[in-house]
C-alpha cells in the first residue's frame, strides 16, 4: 500500500494533542449513508449572528381593502461573506468569517460518492467513510472522536451519490486540532489500512444495513425503486450504502487503490466557517494540508440527461409492514447553479407533497381520509438527472389503486391549472425558511459552501439560491409539474402487509408490474 506522501517539514506533529477518531450518527440509509459511532453525541447547533440585509422569509396574512384574505411573502435578502483560495497542491479552500461567534465549523467534501464506484464494487465510498475513522499515521483508532468531543466539538460524516463529506464544529480554539486530524487521514490513512480494520468495517456496514434497511418496515423500498428509474449501469442505479457481497469479495489492494484514486487534496474542497479571519483560515489550511502531495485527480465525466419516464414499471412486494404503502419516483433535471427547471420542479413537489399544507396531505389525509401520510421530496444530483421520490401510506381497508388514483388526480390538476398564488407564496417561504435555518449554523453554512464549491466550482452559487427561488414563476412551476412530475407515477413500488400477501397475490396486467 502507498501513503499520500507529505513533503518534509510542515504541519504534522502531535503538538495539537493526542488525536482520536470515530464515526457519526445515522440518517436515512437509503439515499445517504452516514457513519455510525457509539460514542457520537448530538449537540445543538451554534446559531450564527443574523447575516440578512432584510427580514427573513416569512408569510403575512392580511386582508385587502375589499376584504379578501391574501398571503404575501416577505423575502429575505441574505448574502454571506466568502473568500476562496486554491493551495499549491490543488486543495480548494473557502473561508466564511463570523467574528465573535466563538465556534468554527470545518467541512471537507471529497469528489467521490456511490456514482464513482465500479459496478462490481458497490459500497466502496460508504466503506471509506467508516475507514477514515479507523486511525491514520499519527492518530489511533477512536481518537478522532474522543479528541474533538473532549474539546467540546461535534463531528460526523456522510456519503451520498455525488460526494463524501467529513465535518466538525468546534470551539474556535480547537480549529488547529480539527484541521490536523482531517489532514492526517487524507495523507496517511494507508499507513493503518490493515486487513483487520477492513474486515471490521465491512462487518459494521453490514450491521448498519441490517439495522436501517433489512429489519425496518419499508426499509428496502428505495433499493427496489431505483432500478425502475435508472438502469443498473447508471451512476445512480444503486444506493450509497452498498452491496454487502461486493464488499465481502473486495481485497485490501482494491481498497487501497480506491483511496489513492479519490482521497487527495486536488479532489476535495475545505470550508472553514465561523470565528476565524480569512487570512488565518488560509494560513492554517496551508499549514496542515499544504504539504500533502496531490495526485492525478479523476476527470469528472457525467452521463447525458435522461427524459422523464414514459413506460410504466411497477413492482409489488409483500413483507411485514403495518399498512399498505406505495412509493413512486421520477427523473428530474440535473442540479446546476442556474437551473430554473429543477427549481420549478422543487417548488411543484413542495406544493404537491411537503407538509400539512400540501395538496396530497389535504386531499388524501385530511379530506378523503384514505392515507395516513403522504409526502414528495427531491434529491438534487448532478450526473444527468436529479431524483423525485414520493410515498403514501394507506389507511387499512383502502386499496392502493384508490390511493394512486387520487395522487394522479392531484398531479394532473397541478399540471393543468398550475399553482395558486397562495400556494406559490407558501412554498417560496418554506424554501426561504429552510435555507435560512441551514445558514443559521456554522456547520450548515460550511456544508452548503463545500457543496457549491465542489459540485459547481463556485461557492458564491450559495448566494444565488434564494433569488432563483423567488424568480421562478407560476407558469414555470406548472410546466415542471406537467413535464417532470406527472410521469413520476410510472415507477411504483407497492408494499403490502405479508399477512395479506395471499389475498393480494393477483395477477398484475402484463406490462403493469411483477409480483415478488
Amino acid at each position: 500500500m502507498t501513503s499520500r506522501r507529505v513533503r518534509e517539514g510542515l504541519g504534522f506533529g502531535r503538538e495539537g494533542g493526542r488525536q482520536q477518531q470515530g464515526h457519526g450518527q445515522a440518517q436515512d440509509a437509503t439515499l445517504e449513508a452516514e457513519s455510525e459511532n457509539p460514542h457520537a453525541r448530538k449537540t445543538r447547533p451554534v446559531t450564527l449572528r443574523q447575516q440578512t440585509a432584510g427580514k427573513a422569509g416569512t408569510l403575512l396574512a392580511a386582508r385587502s381593502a375589499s376584504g379578501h384574505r391574501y398571503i404575501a411573502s416577505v423575502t429575505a435578502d441574505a448574502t454571506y461573506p466568502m473568500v476562496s483560495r486554491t493551495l499549491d497542491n490543488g486543495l480548494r479552500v473557502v473561508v466564511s468569517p463570523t467574528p465573535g461567534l466563538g465556534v468554527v465549523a470545518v467541512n471537507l467534501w471529497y469528489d467521490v460518492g456511490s456514482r464513482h464506484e465500479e459496478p462490481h464494487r458497490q459500497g466502496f465510498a460508504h466503506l471509506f467513510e467508516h475507514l477514515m475513522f479507523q486511525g491514520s499515521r499519527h492518530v489511533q483508532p477512536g481518537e478522532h472522536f474522543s479528541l474533538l468531543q473532549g474539546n467540546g466539538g461535534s463531528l460526523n460524516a456522510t456519503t451520498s451519490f455525488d460526494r463524501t463529506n467529513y465535518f466538525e464544529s468546534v470551539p474556535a480554539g480547537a480549529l488547529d486540532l480539527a484541521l490536523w486530524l482531517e489532514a492526517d487521514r487524507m495523507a496517511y490513512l494507508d499507513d493503518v489500512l490493515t486487513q483487520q480494520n477492513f474486515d471490521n468495517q465491512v462487518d459494521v456496514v453490514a450491521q448498519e444495513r441490517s439495522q436501517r434497511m433489512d429489519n425496518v418496515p419499508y426499509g428496502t423500498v428505495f433499493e427496489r425503486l431505483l432500478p425502475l428509474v435508472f438502469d443498473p449501469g447508471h451512476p445512480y442505479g444503486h444506493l450509497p450504502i452498498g452491496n454487502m457481497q461486493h464488499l465481502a469479495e473486495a481485497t485490501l489492494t482494491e481498497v487501497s487503490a480506491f483511496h489513492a484514486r479519490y482521497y487527495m487534496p486536488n479532489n476535495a474542497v475545505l470550508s472553514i466557517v465561523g470565528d476565524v479571519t480569512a487570512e488565518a483560515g488560509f494560513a492554517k489550511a496551508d499549514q496542515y494540508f499544504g504539504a500533502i502531495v496531490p495526485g492525478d485527480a479523476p476527470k469528472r465525466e457525467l452521463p447525458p440527461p435522461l427524459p422523464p419516464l414514459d413506460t410504466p414499471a411497477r413492482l409489488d412486494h409483500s413483507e411485514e409492514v403495518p399498512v399498505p404503502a406505495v412509493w413512486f419516483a421520477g427523473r428530474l433535471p440535473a442540479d446546476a447553479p442556474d437551473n430554473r427547471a429543477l427549481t420549478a420542479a422543487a417548488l411543484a413537489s413542495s406544493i404537491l407533497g411537503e407538509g400539512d399544507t400540501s395538496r396530497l396531505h389535504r386531499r388524501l389525509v385530511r379530506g378523503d381520509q384514505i392515507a395516513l401520510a403522504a409526502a414528495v421530496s427531491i434529491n438534487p444530483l448532478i450526473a444527468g438527472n436529479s431524483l423525485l421520490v414520493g410515498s403514501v401510506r394507506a389507511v387499512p381497508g383502502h386499496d392502493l389503486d384508490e390511493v394512486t388514483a387520487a395522487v394522479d388526480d392531484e398531479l394532473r390538476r397541478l399540471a393543468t391549472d398550475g399553482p395558486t398564488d397562495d400556494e406559490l407564496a407558501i412554498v417560496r417561504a418554506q424554501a426561504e425558511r429552510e435555507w435560512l435555518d441551514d445558514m443559521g449554523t456554522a456547520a450548515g453554512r460550511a456544508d452548503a459552501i463545500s457543496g457549491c464549491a465542489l459540485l459547481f466550482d463556485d461557492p458564491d452559487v450559495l448566494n444565488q439560491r434564494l433569488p432563483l427561488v423567488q424568480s421562478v414563476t407560476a407558469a414555470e412551476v406548472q410546466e415542471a409539474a406537467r413535464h417532470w412530475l406527472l410521469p413520476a407515477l410510472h415507477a411504483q413500488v407497492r408494499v403490502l402487509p405479508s399477512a395479506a400477501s395471499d389475498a393480494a397475490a393477483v395477477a398484475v396486467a402484463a406490462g403493469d408490474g411483477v409480483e415478488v
Side-chain angles (χ1 to χ4, degrees):
M1 297 181 292
T2 59
S3 295
R4 180 76 53 201
R5 296 300 175 190
V6 175
R7 289 187 287 269
E8 295 298 321
L10 290 179
F12 288 89
R14 300 186 68 86
E15 293 83 356
R18 288 184 54 79
Q19 274 72 333
Q20 247 192 333
Q21 123 174 1
H23 231 116
Q25 260 190 326
Q27 308 178 359
D28 188 343
T30 54
L31 301 185
E32 183 173 269
E34 182 173 346
S35 310
E36 296 275 2
N37 174 37
H39 305 295
R41 60 177 182 265
K42 290 183 178 179
T43 57
R44 290 183 61 84
V46 177
T47 301
L48 296 172
R49 293 174 175 176
Q50 187 67 23
Q51 297 279 325
T52 56
K55 294 182 179 179
T58 186
L59 290 182
L60 299 181
R63 293 190 182 275
S64 66
S66 61
H68 290 94
R69 185 177 181 276
Y70 66 91
I71 294 178
S73 176
V74 178
T75 304
D77 178 16
T79 57
Y80 296 92
M82 288 176 283
V83 186
S84 305
R85 188 174 298 173
T86 300
L87 303 186
D88 290 343
N89 59 11
L91 179 66
R92 289 163 285 176
V93 182
V94 187
V95 181
S96 181
T98 307
L101 181 64
V103 169
V104 180
V106 173
N107 192 290
L108 193 62
W109 275 44
Y110 288 92
D111 196 359
V112 56
S114 59
R115 70 176 173 84
H116 299 85
E117 296 163 347
E118 296 293 331
H120 66 295
R121 288 296 178 261
Q122 296 173 11
F124 264 29
H126 178 214
L127 176 66
F128 259 96
E129 179 203 324
H130 287 260
L131 288 170
M132 288 283 277
F133 287 99
Q134 296 307 302
S136 49
R137 179 179 294 180
H138 305 102
V139 181
Q140 295 300 310
E143 282 192 334
H144 202 117
F145 261 86
S146 64
L147 279 174
L148 290 177
Q149 289 181 340
N151 280 273
S154 61
L155 62 155
N156 211 336
T158 66
T159 307
S160 74
F161 292 111
D162 285 331
R163 53 75 183 146
T164 306
N165 71 330
Y166 303 85
F167 47 94
E168 298 90 6
S169 293
V170 296
L175 175 59
D176 288 82
L177 174 61
L179 293 173
W180 184 86
L181 286 165
E182 289 292 358
D184 200 69
R185 63 182 175 183
M186 177 189 286
Y188 295 129
L189 181 75
D190 258 0
D191 285 17
V192 297
L193 190 54
T194 65
Q195 189 67 48
Q196 181 180 7
N197 270 347
F198 171 51
D199 291 341
N200 286 344
Q201 293 313 300
V202 169
D203 288 342
V204 170
V205 172
Q207 293 171 14
E208 179 181 345
R209 179 191 167 92
S210 177
Q211 293 171 359
R212 294 166 60 189
M213 290 180 63
D214 297 334
N215 295 306
V216 175
Y218 316 108
T220 61
V221 68
F222 286 106
E223 192 170 52
R224 302 174 190 277
L225 188 60
L226 270 184
L228 304 184
V229 182
F230 299 111
D231 291 336
H234 191 276
Y236 300 140
H238 67 277
L239 292 177
I241 197 166
N243 182 299
M244 299 306 105
Q245 182 177 349
H246 292 179
L247 295 181
E249 294 172 350
T251 67
L252 195 60
T253 300
E254 290 176 307
V255 174
S256 179
F258 190 88
H259 182 262
R261 179 169 175 77
Y262 293 107
Y263 281 83
M264 62 185 73
N266 49 321
N267 199 47
V269 167
L270 171 66
S271 295
I272 305 172
V273 174
D275 197 357
V276 62
T277 65
E279 287 307 312
F282 291 130
K284 291 179 184 295
D286 190 59
Q287 176 185 359
Y288 295 108
F289 290 88
I292 303 176
V293 177
D296 185 12
K299 294 181 179 179
R300 180 177 291 174
E301 297 179 356
L302 302 178
L306 298 173
L309 295 168
D310 58 4
T311 303
R314 197 181 101 196
L315 186 144
D316 291 354
H317 171 65
S318 297
E319 64 177 61
E320 293 186 13
V321 294
V323 295
V326 59
W327 269 257
F328 54 93
R331 301 168 185 157
L332 296 177
D335 198 7
D338 56 353
N339 194 326
R340 299 183 66 84
L342 179 61
T343 305
L347 292 174
S349 71
S350 294
I351 291 169
L352 186 68
E354 182 182 353
D356 292 351
T357 62
S358 68
R359 292 192 178 192
L360 291 186
H361 184 86
R362 287 186 287 126
R363 165 78 180 274
L364 278 68
V365 178
R366 292 166 55 188
D368 297 348
Q369 297 186 7
I370 60 175
L372 299 172
V376 180
S377 62
I378 72 165
N379 191 359
L381 302 166
I382 66 169
N385 292 86
S386 297
L387 180 66
L388 176 141
V389 176
S391 64
V392 182
R393 287 188 293 120
V395 170
H398 287 274
D399 187 82
L400 290 179
D401 285 339
E402 178 186 8
V403 168
T404 54
V407 173
D408 183 66
D409 184 53
E410 290 302 320
L411 279 168
R412 293 187 183 280
R413 283 205 312 118
L414 184 58
T416 301
D417 302 331
T420 67
D421 291 342
D422 281 1
E423 284 178 324
L424 190 54
I426 287 169
V427 295
R428 281 174 172 168
Q430 287 173 337
E432 289 179 15
R433 185 200 65 231
E434 292 167 3
W435 189 84
L436 290 169
D437 283 348
D438 287 343
M439 298 306 100
T441 65
R445 189 200 298 182
D447 195 59
I449 289 172
S450 292
C452 292
L454 183 80
L455 301 180
F456 310 129
D457 201 27
D458 182 7
D460 195 57
V461 168
L462 176 73
N463 288 326
Q464 302 167 24
R465 289 302 200 182
L466 274 187
L468 179 60
V469 169
Q470 289 301 324
S471 70
V472 170
T473 66
E476 289 175 298
V477 172
Q478 180 180 352
E479 174 58 18
R482 184 196 68 79
H483 186 73
W484 292 105
L485 270 64
L486 197 56
L489 276 176
H490 284 164
Q492 292 184 32
V493 172
R494 298 188 178 192
V495 184
L496 302 173
S498 56
S501 59
D502 291 340
V506 296
V508 178
D512 287 342
V514 294
E515 288 287 359
V516 177

